[in-house]
Amino acid sequence: MNEMNCCANLSNLVIYRALLSDPIVNALRRPKEFFAPELEGLLLVAAEEKGLTGIIPLEYLLSAIVHEQNVFSAVAEKNDGKIGEGLARAAAHDIVIMREFVDDVFNRYKNHPLLGNYTPTVFRPLPGRSKLEKILLHAEGDANGRQAVEILCSYYNDYGYGAMLDNGAFAWNGELECLSGTKNYSDMTFDKLYGYDYQKEELIRNTEAFLEGKPANNVLLFGDRGTGKSSSIKALGNAFFEKGLRMVEVKRHDFAGLPKVMQELSRWGKKFIVVLDDLSFEEFEVEYKALKSILDGGLEVKPDNVLFYATSNRRNIIKEVWQDQNMSELHSRDSINEKISLADRFGIKLFFDSMDQEQYFRLLENKAEAEGLDIPKEELRAAAVKWEMSHTGRNGRIARQLLDYLHGRS
C-alpha cells in the first residue's frame, strides 16, 4: 500500500480513533510536511518531555498508541489480559491499519537528519517497548493481527495504559479526588538496604502472594526512626512495577476520603499498595476510625486489588498513656481494646529495631565502598562515633547523612 493510502486508511480506525485528534499524528498523515518546521518543533518538544530516543516520529506513535484509554485497553487491563471475541476482532482490525501507518512513518523518517537518530537530554524508556516493536514493526506470520492482539492484551495487563504506564507510584489528591502521578519516585532497591533480612523477605513474600492472587495481609512496619521502614516499601514499588504493582500514598488528612480512594482503585486491574507513612495518632484524634472501617468490616469494603502497608514508630499506632491502666474509666478494657484495634487490622507486623555499633560500622563500610568513598576504615569508624554523639542514634538515615557529609568534604 502506498503512503497516501495508508495515511488515509487511518480514518478507518474503530477503537483507536482518538489518535485522529492528536495534532502530531495528523501532521504525520501529511507526507508533504516531512520537513515542516512546525512538525519538527512539536516532535522535539515531545522527545524532550517524554524522553524519546531514536526515530522520534516512530517512538511518538508507539507511545501514543499504548497510552490511549479506549474500550480495548480498559477491558484488557481490568480483566487480566482477557477480552471477548468481538473486541479481539475489532482490535485486530485496528492493529493492521496502525501497522501500515507505523511502517510508513518508519521508512519516511529513519534517515531524517534531525529526527532519525535523536538523543534526548534525559532518556526515559517506554516500558515493554520490545513487545510493541514486535507487533507493529515486525509482524511476519500475523497478517490478520490476532497474535498482536494477544501480545497487546498481555502488555496492558502488565503495564496498564495512560498514567499507569508512566508512574509506579501515585499520591491521592483529596481536594480534586483523583490520583496524581509521582514524577520523581525513589530509586530505592532492596540491595541498597543493609540488614533486616527477615523483614525484607516477609515483605517480599507477602507482596508476591498478593500479586499472584493468593491470600495476603496488610502490613505494619514499626520500630525506631530511620531504620528503613519507608525505604523498604519504596523498594517494593521498583521491584514489582513490571508485575503490575502500583503504590498509592494517602495522607492522614485524607482518610475521610478513603471510600473514594477505594472506588477509584477498584476500577483498575492493577494491584495497589496503599502506603500510610509515619502513621500515628494522639489519643484525642479520631481520623483512625475511618481507616479502621475500611480495613475491616465497614460498609465500603476494601477491593481485592488493594492492600495497606503502614509505617509507624508505635507498635499500636495510637498513643497509649498510663491512665489507660488505672481503670478509672468504667469500662477501661474497652477503651484499651479500641486503641489497639487499628493495629490488629494489620495481619503482619514487622519490627525494625536500632542497630548495635558493630552493625552500624559494617553498614557504613559497605556503603562507603559501594559509593567509592576513599576513607580508611579507622577514620570512618572514628567519624561515625563522633557523628553519633550529635545525631542521637544508629540507623540508615544517620548513616546517609554522615556519608553525604564525608563525600562533600572529600
Side-chain angles (χ1 to χ4, degrees):
M1 182 177 291
N2 63 50
E3 65 182 30
M4 292 303 297
N5 284 341
C6 73
C7 291
N9 202 30
L10 209 64
S11 298
N12 293 321
L13 289 173
V14 176
I15 293 175
Y16 286 87
R17 289 196 66 79
L19 290 173
L20 303 178
S21 62
D22 186 309
I24 291 180
V25 173
N26 268 321
L28 290 173
R29 295 175 68 191
R30 298 189 287 272
K32 66 180 181 180
E33 297 196 10
F34 179 70
F35 286 109
E38 294 83 3
L39 175 57
E40 291 179 351
L42 288 174
L43 285 165
L44 285 178
V45 170
E48 290 298 324
E49 288 181 346
K50 298 176 180 293
L52 306 177
T53 189
I55 305 171
I56 298 306
L58 169 66
E59 298 304 319
Y60 182 87
L61 273 179
L62 296 180
S63 178
I65 288 169
V66 293
H67 276 83
E68 184 186 317
Q69 176 180 347
N70 53 52
V71 64
F72 173 42
S73 60
V75 171
E77 191 278 337
K78 176 65 175 176
N79 294 283
D80 297 324
K82 301 178 180 65
I83 62 172
E85 174 59 22
L87 189 55
R89 285 202 304 270
H93 165 272
D94 277 15
I95 286 172
V96 171
I97 293 174
M98 290 189 295
R99 274 179 184 165
E100 295 168 351
F101 185 59
V102 168
D103 185 61
D104 173 66
V105 169
F106 169 77
N107 288 319
R108 276 193 282 146
Y109 283 90
K110 61 184 178 182
N111 295 317
H112 191 283
L114 178 60
L115 302 172
N117 188 23
Y118 187 81
T119 302
T121 305
V122 178
F123 171 48
R124 287 184 288 275
L126 182 65
R129 187 197 174 283
S130 59
K131 290 185 177 182
L132 304 178
E133 184 172 321
K134 181 178 180 180
I135 63 177
L136 292 170
L137 278 174
H138 306 294
E140 296 83 359
D142 184 35
N144 63 5
R146 294 306 293 261
Q147 292 180 21
V149 170
E150 293 181 10
I151 295 173
L152 201 49
C153 282
S154 173
Y155 183 94
Y156 288 131
N157 182 48
D158 291 340
Y159 301 106
Y161 55 85
M164 288 296 155
L165 185 58
D166 291 330
N167 301 281
F170 299 83
W172 177 253
N173 186 321
E175 186 174 338
L176 299 178
E177 296 186 349
C178 67
L179 296 174
S180 176
T182 303
K183 297 302 181 184
N184 296 305
Y185 186 64
S186 170
D187 63 353
M188 180 58 64
T189 55
F190 282 109
D191 58 4
K192 296 178 182 178
L193 291 169
Y194 176 81
Y196 305 105
D197 292 336
Y198 169 76
Q199 291 88 334
K200 290 186 291 188
E201 289 170 5
E202 276 295 286
L203 202 58
I204 291 171
R205 181 202 60 76
N206 189 68
T207 305
E208 286 178 335
F210 175 50
L211 292 172
E212 292 168 5
K214 300 176 182 177
N217 281 287
N218 300 313
V219 181
L220 173 63
L221 296 79
F222 72 96
D224 297 330
R225 65 191 187 281
T227 49
K229 302 182 295 295
S230 298
S231 294
S232 296
I233 292 178
K234 292 172 184 175
L236 286 173
N238 291 318
F240 295 109
F241 172 83
E242 294 195 358
K243 292 187 177 181
L245 182 66
R246 300 295 183 268
M247 319 299 283
V248 178
E249 184 175 18
V250 179
K251 300 292 187 182
R252 190 173 69 174
H253 59 260
D254 287 325
F255 281 3
L258 277 171
K260 286 185 169 53
V261 180
M262 297 301 101
Q263 290 171 12
E264 171 64 19
L265 300 185
S266 67
R267 75 182 185 87
W268 292 92
K270 293 283 162 288
K271 302 284 189 178
F272 295 97
I273 288 178
V274 174
V275 180
L276 311 172
D277 199 27
D278 198 19
L279 187 64
S280 65
F281 298 94
E282 298 300 320
E283 59 178 340
F284 58 84
E285 294 175 313
V286 297
E287 293 97 330
Y288 74 92
K289 293 187 178 181
L291 174 60
K292 190 173 73 169
S293 177
I294 288 290
L295 287 173
D296 186 24
L299 293 177
E300 182 70 41
V301 298
K302 179 173 67 67
D304 291 338
N305 65 330
V306 175
L307 279 184
F308 283 79
Y309 284 12
T311 69
S312 178
N313 294 333
R314 297 171 176 166
R315 182 186 185 97
N316 287 327
I317 304 177
I318 303 171
K319 183 178 180 180
E320 297 175 277
V321 295
W322 281 111
Q323 284 88 334
D324 291 335
Q325 307 298 327
N326 68 13
M327 304 303 177
S328 60
E329 186 180 335
L330 181 60
H331 299 289
S332 58
R333 179 55 56 187
D334 291 345
S335 178
I336 295 172
N337 286 336
E338 172 70 11
K339 289 186 175 182
I340 67 175
S341 63
L342 177 58
D344 285 346
R345 265 65 176 179
F346 295 89
I348 295 176
K349 300 181 181 70
L350 300 175
F351 177 48
F352 287 68
D353 58 343
S354 291
M355 300 176 179
D356 61 34
Q357 190 172 66
E358 188 58 34
Q359 288 174 320
Y360 183 57
F361 285 159
R362 289 201 301 270
L363 166 64
L364 283 167
E365 290 160 5
N366 290 339
K367 284 187 172 293
E369 181 179 358
E371 296 171 12
L373 180 61
D374 186 16
I375 182 172
K377 180 185 294 187
E378 295 75 14
E379 184 178 338
L380 178 61
R381 292 193 171 203
V385 172
K386 183 178 179 181
W387 190 265
E388 181 187 335
M389 293 173 64
S390 59
H391 289 77
T392 63
R394 306 185 197 104
N395 56 54
R397 184 181 299 154
I398 300 299
R400 179 72 269 154
Q401 293 168 353
L402 172 58
L403 290 170
D404 287 344
Y405 171 78
L406 294 174
H407 278 296
R409 195 184 65 176
S410 62

